[in-house]
Amino acid sequence: IALNFLINAIGEKVSLEFDMTKDKISTLSENNEKYLENLNEQVFITVCAEEKGYRDGMMDSYAEASNIYGGTDYYKQTIALIEKYSDASDKINVEFVDTQDSAFAAVTAKYPDEGIVYGDIIVSAGERYQKLGFSDIYEVEYNEEYANYGYTMYNVTGNNLETELTGAIRYAITGKTVSFALLTGHSKKDYTEDY
């Protein structure tokens, strides 16, 4: 009871946040934190959505218009992780731009060839930038159960934000990308399936 009273008493003055999930899914990896701490160039992360709306249901509405369901917790996780990025380095500047606001027109004018939509994230440093869209951030699987009833439906099954956002930061700063290819052979057994 005393602990409850204490937390309520200081709750408005101090923001306490703990990641109590088993796998620390809303916490940046240690290697990522070290990378972000060593940034020596300003990086701008522009989220094309209003923060509260993205977290509280607008991203659900956007996804459901494309028959994608079940991502609510992943959308909340995205906002939590973006906040962790700005906490990890004073070189990272995060801005949420409401797509219904006049400021969004400036974003679309700056990147006219990108076809920016609600929920896109633009990472920029100097003249270089990279846009992360829905399919970059979220893993989506076809729902075969509903296909049996004649519906086309997908489910969000994962969040790739940390990997994608750090990769976009690296690209914006250095201009370098890392690519790899997985080659398959002609044998009867597919040895690449484990990868």
Side-chain angles (χ1 to χ4, degrees), residues 32-51:
N32 200 8
E33 283 185 346
K34 287 179 184 175
Y35 174 74
L36 296 173
E37 287 171 5
N38 293 318
L39 290 179
N40 55 13
E41 191 172 333
Q42 291 292 323
V43 175
F44 298 89
I45 299 174
T46 304
V47 182
C48 298
E50 68 292 353
E51 183 176 358

Side-chain angles (χ1 to χ4, degrees), residues 146-190:
Y146 282 86
N148 295 332
Y149 300 106
Y151 297 106
T152 300
M153 184 175 153
Y154 301 88
N155 294 103
V156 178
T157 59
N159 188 327
N160 297 320
L161 181 75
E162 186 174 7
T163 303
E164 293 293 328
L165 194 52
T166 300
I169 290 170
R170 182 178 187 276
Y171 172 75
I173 291 173
T174 66
K176 297 178 182 176
T177 57
V178 176
S179 301
F180 72 92
L182 183 60
L183 303 177
T184 59
H186 297 283
S187 63
K188 290 183 181 178
K189 174 156 176 52
D190 181 4

Side-chain angles (χ1 to χ4, degrees), residues 42-90:
Q42 291 292 323
V43 175
F44 298 89
I45 299 174
T46 304
V47 182
C48 298
E50 68 292 353
E51 183 176 358
K52 185 174 176 7
Y54 192 108
R55 179 185 280 124
D56 295 343
M58 278 302 293
M59 196 62 204
D60 279 313
S61 297
Y62 169 76
E64 287 171 8
S66 299
N67 294 324
I68 302 171
Y69 298 88
T72 302
D73 290 338
Y74 293 112
Y75 308 144
K76 290 177 182 178
Q77 180 188 33
T78 294
I79 298 300
L81 287 170
I82 289 172
E83 290 169 353
K84 302 279 186 197
Y85 272 78
S86 64
D87 292 343
S89 174
D90 60 354

Side-chain angles (χ1 to χ4, degrees), residues 46 48 95-110:
T46 304
C48 298
E95 177 185 22
F96 289 86
V97 179
D98 185 347
T99 56
Q100 301 301 313
D101 191 86
S102 59
F104 183 66
V107 173
T108 56
K110 188 173 181 180

